[in-house]
Amino acid sequence: MNEIPSRLADVRRRIAAAAVAAGRAAEDVQLLAVSKTKPVEDILAAWSGGQRRFGENYLQDALPKIHALSAYPIEWHYIGRLQGNKTAEVAGNFAWVHSLDQLRHALRLDRQRPPELPPLMVCIQVNLSGETSKGGVSADALPELVAAVSELPGLRLRGLMTMPDPTYPGDRTRATFRRLHQLLSELRQSGRPLDTLSMGMSADLELAIAEGATIVRIGTDVFGPRGTH
Ligand SMILES: *Cc1c(COP(=O)(O)O)cnc(C)c1O
């Protein structure tokens, strides 16, 4: 028996409950189902449960699945680290990128976005925990990157993304989400038309929604645990 549709329904209920608890509408929070490492059959099981947006972060793993599912109008989101020599495949196969953190990658994605496709929707990843191993621009460098990316016609900057240090206790995780929201508000006040806060995973989606998440990225609680990758 495939448990993915019922897991998906559980996650949707959690999202709706968290939104209502925060005084928000359930429709204001989108579920991105993170299907990294999971097979096409699992994606189709989620599809049959009504899911249309899927997130991947290993390009080698994602591309065969995207091609196998090309008959389905799935919205693919790239959430992994960008590499300079692989940006063309991201620009050609995804609708969204959540993990932009370098201008040189933005310039390549802009140039490589196929003209017949709509602009690539983009979130800039912000590193608010100072972990050097992790992607993301610093809060200090953010306004300059926002200004540069906003000029690129092949990209449409939608908002910000962050991943708190997974070792943080809940209060620090929540403070990190609050800080990302504050950064978005500052950019909006300076005239940037941004509407997206991509934050919250299986373990912390309630905290993220309480702090204003508009997209939560959920893998484990939709598809079950991943093997090591
Ligand atoms: C894997 C991953 C997720 C989903 O994590 P879960 O804890 O399995 O829900 C979300 N965002 C990014 C960037 C990821 O790599």
Side-chain angles (χ1 to χ4, degrees):
M1 190 187 84
N2 192 310
E3 295 176 349
I4 292 171
S6 71
R7 287 173 164 277
L8 191 59
D10 284 344
V11 170
R12 290 218 185 91
R13 276 191 287 274
R14 281 172 64 195
I15 291 171
V20 168
R24 307 176 58 201
E27 312 81 70
D28 291 350
V29 186
Q30 289 181 3
L31 168 59
L32 181 66
V34 176
S35 48
K36 63 183 181 195
T37 80
K38 298 295 182 180
V40 163
E41 300 77 70
D42 287 6
I43 297 173
L44 285 174
W47 168 278
S48 73
Q51 184 64 28
R52 297 293 179 266
R53 298 183 179 92
F54 292 88
E56 291 280 343
N57 74 341
Y58 306 104
L59 205 50
Q60 262 42 273
D61 174 43
L63 292 176
K65 293 190 271 184
I66 292 174
H67 295 144
L69 292 166
S70 60
Y72 294 80
I74 288 174
E75 186 177 277
W76 293 102
H77 292 229
Y78 188 73
I79 62 174
R81 292 297 288 270
L82 288 162
Q83 286 175 272
N85 57 351
K86 306 241 177 70
T87 50
E89 283 155 317
V90 174
N93 289 285
F94 289 83
W96 280 71
V97 170
H98 292 232
S99 43
L100 185 66
D101 64 356
Q102 292 186 45
L103 180 57
R104 65 187 184 94
H105 291 153
L107 295 171
R108 292 178 64 98
L109 290 168
D110 173 56
R111 190 162 16 90
Q112 293 165 337
R113 181 66 170 171
E116 68 276 15
L117 295 180
L120 184 63
M121 302 296 150
V122 167
C123 290
I124 292 179
Q125 183 175 354
V126 188
N127 184 339
L128 295 171
S129 52
E131 292 169 281
T132 48
S133 62
K134 220 168 51 192
V137 67
S138 69
D140 288 346
L142 178 63
E144 199 179 321
L145 185 57
V146 166
V149 171
S150 297
E151 297 297 313
L152 303 174
L155 310 184
R156 183 170 304 148
L157 183 62
R158 295 293 298 271
L160 305 178
M161 182 273 238
T162 201
M163 287 185 29
D165 184 330
T167 65
Y168 277 178
D171 56 342
R172 278 193 84 182
T173 299
R174 183 161 180 167
T176 303
F177 293 148
R178 188 174 312 146
R179 177 80 180 116
L180 195 73
H181 193 168
Q182 185 182 32
L183 291 169
L184 189 86
S185 298
E186 288 167 14
L187 291 166
R188 284 166 56 96
Q189 277 156 24
S190 72
R192 303 288 175 198
L194 306 179
D195 61 8
T196 301
L197 276 177
S198 169
M199 57 188 197
M201 311 186 356
S202 294
D204 54 23
L205 74 88
E206 282 85 0
L207 298 178
I209 291 170
E211 294 298 342
T214 64
I215 301 181
V216 290
R217 309 178 311 270
I218 311 300
T220 308
D221 286 358
V222 170
F223 293 107
R226 291 177 292 275
T228 52
H229 191 104

